[in-house]
Amino acid sequence: MAKNRIPRLDRKIYEAELLRLQGELVQMQEWVRETGQRVVIVFEGRDAAGKGGAIKRVTEYLSPRQAQIVALPTPTERQKTQWYFQRYVEHLPAAGEIRLFDRSWYNRAGVERVMGYCTPEEHRRFLQQCPIFERMLIDDGVLLRKYWFSVSDAEQERRFRSRLEDPMRRWKLSGTDLESLTRWEDYSRAKDEMFVHTDIPEARWNVVESDDKRSARINMIAHLLSSLPWHQVDLPELQMPDRPASTGYQRTDRSLQLQVPDHAAEVAHAQGQKLVRRSREDMD
């Protein structure tokens, strides 16, 4: 399977361009704050398509007070009786805020539709109401951007296997995720139907080819920056004040405080001992 993987963008090129784009994201965030804009960014796509990694790079240098990730769990029994869009509305941004939806109301058009978690009538109602809902957001001044991360079946399976074998990322997999491998065409048909109804002129779907995660991330960020009418905001000049003279304050004796054990020193000492032993073995 590795032979079929597409070439990845060179790491040095990727890291340099990513850092440049992240600098612009910081400036864009200041524009959002200064002008009171409300920005909603929807990240959708198949499992393991690279949504989470892209979101992480977008938010890496942004203020968590302004730019917040919305990743909602399974709805409660009470929420299941509400208007479908209701639990998403309460997470929409106020002035000066950015909300990044790691999956969104489009769950109903994807996993719920394919796995039978909603009824055909609920699915039909969603496809009818979603364009209305999004037009209402846009009419109220919300800047809505929707990204669909497109991954091939071979690359998705490779990423699933990688997660399955990695104890640090095993939590990313669920039974529903793995079952999606056997329902590839069902998800494809659901996605096509979703696009027919929700790829509206006011809120187009922007498709991100994501077999190469590096290219996908910088392509998505570059598009986001180019699609928003932001401009650089002049920040107030800040100067470090002079520290005033001491008034006689004495710090509390450290022995009276509960200190965290110096685990770092223990690790460094153990590593030093290991290097000494290895050096002696080489000499012998």
Side-chain angles (χ1 to χ4, degrees):
M1 186 176 296
K3 294 181 180 179
N4 297 326
R5 294 186 63 187
I6 65 172
R8 290 200 297 175
L9 182 66
D10 179 80
R11 178 177 292 277
K12 290 185 177 180
I13 296 175
Y14 161 70
E15 291 178 348
E17 180 62 9
L18 176 63
L19 188 62
R20 186 189 72 81
L21 292 171
Q22 288 174 325
E24 291 194 4
L25 284 171
V26 172
Q27 296 177 35
M28 184 270 287
Q29 175 187 241
E30 288 301 316
W31 168 78
V32 170
R33 182 189 59 81
E34 181 71 17
T35 59
Q37 300 291 334
R38 293 170 291 162
V39 180
V40 171
I41 311 170
V42 169
F43 293 78
E44 289 288 346
R46 297 178 187 268
D47 297 314
K51 302 179 295 296
I55 292 171
K56 181 178 180 181
R57 273 66 183 187
V58 170
T59 60
E60 188 170 3
Y61 295 103
L62 302 184
S63 167
R65 294 184 178 87
Q66 284 182 251
Q68 296 181 7
I69 301 170
V70 181
L72 301 185
T74 302
T76 64
E77 291 303 314
R78 181 176 183 274
Q79 288 172 332
K80 290 178 182 179
T81 68
Q82 296 175 341
W83 176 49
Y84 177 72
F85 295 94
Q86 188 168 335
R87 75 183 188 124
Y88 295 100
V89 168
E90 61 186 80
H91 295 280
L92 292 174
E97 296 178 346
I98 303 169
R99 291 293 181 269
L100 303 97
F101 282 82
D102 185 357
R103 294 202 179 280
S104 64
W105 43 89
Y106 283 102
N107 270 347
R108 175 134 296 178
V111 64
E112 290 190 18
R113 171 72 174 89
V114 174
M115 300 302 294
Y117 297 156
C118 68
T119 66
E121 174 58 25
E122 288 172 332
H123 177 249
R124 183 202 63 77
R125 190 182 307 124
F126 169 82
L127 294 179
Q128 179 185 30
Q129 292 183 355
C130 184
I132 300 172
F133 173 68
E134 291 182 352
R135 287 189 177 104
M136 289 174 65
L137 295 180
I138 295 167
D139 185 60
D140 201 60
V142 172
L143 298 173
L144 174 63
R145 299 295 181 270
K146 302 187 303 191
Y147 291 95
W148 177 270
F149 284 72
S150 179
V151 65
S152 67
D153 54 353
E155 180 62 16
Q156 183 192 48
E157 183 175 349
R158 189 197 70 79
R159 292 177 186 177
F160 277 172
R161 292 187 184 279
S162 176
R163 292 179 180 182
L164 195 61
E165 298 166 0
D166 185 349
M168 302 295 283
R169 297 189 300 156
R170 176 63 179 78
W171 63 269
K172 290 186 173 184
L173 274 182
S174 69
T176 300
D177 295 337
L178 294 176
E179 189 170 347
S180 67
L181 289 173
T182 66
R183 296 174 178 256
W184 180 270
E185 291 190 0
D186 293 335
Y187 274 98
S188 295
R189 293 188 182 96
K191 174 254 185 180
D192 290 344
E193 186 177 9
M194 179 187 78
F195 267 45
V196 167
H197 291 84
T198 64
D199 189 20
I200 58 178
E202 299 90 339
R204 296 295 309 275
W205 276 107
N206 302 288
V207 178
V208 182
E209 296 296 334
S210 62
D211 272 12
D212 175 16
K213 291 183 179 180
R214 296 173 185 171
S215 295
R217 291 164 186 167
I218 64 173
N219 288 344
M220 177 265 147
I221 297 173
H223 178 272
L224 173 66
L225 289 166
S226 68
S227 72
L228 295 174
W230 69 280
H231 56 80
Q232 188 165 349
V233 175
D234 293 330
L235 300 177
E237 292 188 8
L238 300 176
Q239 293 184 345
M240 291 288 290
D242 295 330
R243 189 181 298 277
S246 173
T247 58
Y249 167 77
Q250 295 291 325
R251 178 173 177 170
T252 303
D253 192 305
R254 291 179 184 271
S255 64
L256 300 176
Q257 300 175 336
L258 182 62
Q259 297 287 331
V260 173
D262 195 351
H263 178 69
E266 294 178 7
V267 173
H269 177 72
Q271 182 65 18
Q273 293 294 99
K274 184 178 180 180
L275 292 175
V276 169
R277 288 194 300 271
R278 185 177 300 172
S279 177
R280 287 174 179 173
E281 291 173 356
D282 292 341
M283 292 178 64
D284 293 342

